[in-house]
Amino acid sequence: MNNKSLQAIFALHVAVFLFGSAGVVGKLFAASSLLLVFGRTLFAALSLFPLLLVQRELHFRSVPKAVYLCGILLAIHWLTFFASLKVAPVAYGLMGFASFPLFVAWLEPWLFKEPRHGRDWIAALAVLAGMAVMVSDTHLDRLTESNALLGLLLGVASGFSFALLALINRWQGARMAAFTLAFYQNGAACLSLLPFVLVSGVLSVVSVATWWGLALLGVVFTALSHGLFLFGLRHVSTQFASLLTSLEPVYGIVLAYFVLNESPSLRVIVGCAMVLLAASVETYWQSRTSH
């Protein structure tokens, strides 16, 4: 495995850890899904703007339209995921979001004219099986009760939008620096949400503590993590990156144990182990093909 591949894998792991930590950090202060996504994209774009201004990387007229499309997809991904956690138990949102490796495994070979590998399907199915075990404490006979079905569908929508985002980012990643791409996409996501934020009036009731929390989410858990994730996508396949991203709930559960004192059940621990094993095996396969 070359140095670029190692750097990409390390960057992806750090990014996924920050992705998983964002939910725990967001849980420490009260904010609606709309405000949470708007605030984090706003501060992410603001934190990246001075850096790109100094580096003279800002060229708005030459930005491909696909970059702005990714910004809208980014907003949809975060909105649907956080909305799924609002309307139903967290388990349903995680189960729905866990579907995104299958979307990637099906779409990537078709979009990039690459051969399909049965091992990618096996690894993706192993990740889904691990997620299913993690949420198996929730009885499926309650799926149609208490908006559980809506929560599951929103989670699937979040996974599908994330798969599309990752695939388009892989295509755009070779044409634009990672943090430049992160700035444009977060800026586009923020602007796409601005009309809804203004109409809803949520900005009039935001406390100073909430603004500080949104700034933290925007700078560390969005700008930095997004840039690292985009950098990783430039040197590994989207299928591999998507499987590593499946570690997001694992990292989130571990962090919640230490920060929020949320003790996982035995089924959750077994599911986490299955996800970690699948990601580790895929990492080994990826290292073999990178030689």
Side-chain angles (χ1 to χ4, degrees):
M1 184 180 295
N2 56 45
N3 289 334
K4 283 294 184 183
S5 296
L6 287 173
Q7 292 174 6
I9 291 174
F10 178 75
L12 285 170
H13 273 290
V14 174
V16 172
F17 174 77
L18 292 175
F19 288 156
S21 303
V24 177
V25 174
K27 200 171 181 178
L28 295 176
F29 61 95
S32 66
S33 299
L34 178 61
L35 179 61
L36 187 64
V37 179
F38 173 77
R40 68 186 302 186
T41 54
L42 171 65
F43 283 106
L46 290 177
S47 65
L48 291 172
F49 181 78
L51 174 64
L52 301 183
L53 190 63
V54 171
Q55 296 179 346
R56 298 182 179 180
E57 292 288 340
L58 296 175
H59 307 285
F60 293 99
R61 294 183 179 179
S62 60
V63 177
K65 293 181 180 179
V67 174
Y68 298 115
L69 173 62
C70 283
I72 297 174
L73 283 173
L74 182 65
I76 293 173
H77 159 61
W78 278 333
L79 280 175
T80 50
F81 180 72
F82 286 117
S84 71
L85 305 185
K86 294 287 185 180
V87 303
V90 174
Y92 293 103
L94 289 176
M95 185 185 295
F97 175 70
S99 63
F100 81 87
L102 292 183
F103 290 124
V104 171
W106 176 258
L107 293 173
E108 186 171 40
W110 176 63
L111 291 175
F112 292 94
K113 309 301 181 183
E114 297 174 346
R116 295 186 185 275
H117 299 288
R119 68 192 187 198
D120 296 319
W121 283 100
I122 294 172
L125 289 173
V127 168
L128 285 179
M131 291 290 185
V133 173
M134 290 170 64
V135 300
S136 60
D137 284 334
T138 303
H139 298 291
L140 293 180
D141 57 2
R142 297 175 53 198
L143 187 63
T144 57
E145 300 176 7
S146 304
N147 292 323
L149 180 58
L150 177 59
L152 180 60
L153 292 176
L154 286 170
V156 172
S158 175
F160 180 69
S161 58
F162 186 85
L164 290 177
L165 176 65
L167 289 168
I168 299 176
N169 274 331
R170 180 191 171 188
W171 173 57
Q172 287 294 329
R175 297 167 172 81
M176 190 175 296
F179 284 98
T180 304
L181 194 59
F183 167 76
Y184 285 121
Q185 291 184 3
N186 279 281
C190 180
L191 291 176
S192 67
L193 294 174
L194 181 59
F196 301 98
V197 170
L198 294 176
V199 171
S200 66
V202 294
L203 295 179
S204 61
V205 294
V206 181
S207 65
V208 175
T210 300
W211 279 120
W212 279 110
L214 292 173
L216 178 65
L217 282 173
V219 176
V220 178
F221 297 95
T222 305
L224 178 60
S225 61
H226 198 180
L228 290 173
F229 186 76
L230 292 174
F231 169 79
L233 278 177
R234 299 177 67 177
H235 304 286
V236 300
S237 71
T238 315
Q239 292 177 2
F240 175 67
S242 69
L243 283 163
L244 280 186
T245 308
S246 298
L247 294 174
E248 177 181 336
V250 178
Y251 288 139
I253 289 172
V254 172
L255 191 63
Y257 173 77
F258 291 103
V259 176
L260 304 174
N261 295 319
E262 295 183 356
S263 300
S265 66
L266 179 60
R267 292 183 184 181
V268 171
I269 294 174
V270 171
C272 288
M274 293 173 65
V275 173
L276 286 170
L277 179 61
S280 299
V281 171
E282 178 67 10
T283 301
Y284 172 75
W285 284 336
Q286 181 73 11
S287 66
R288 291 289 298 273
T289 56
S290 297
H291 284 295

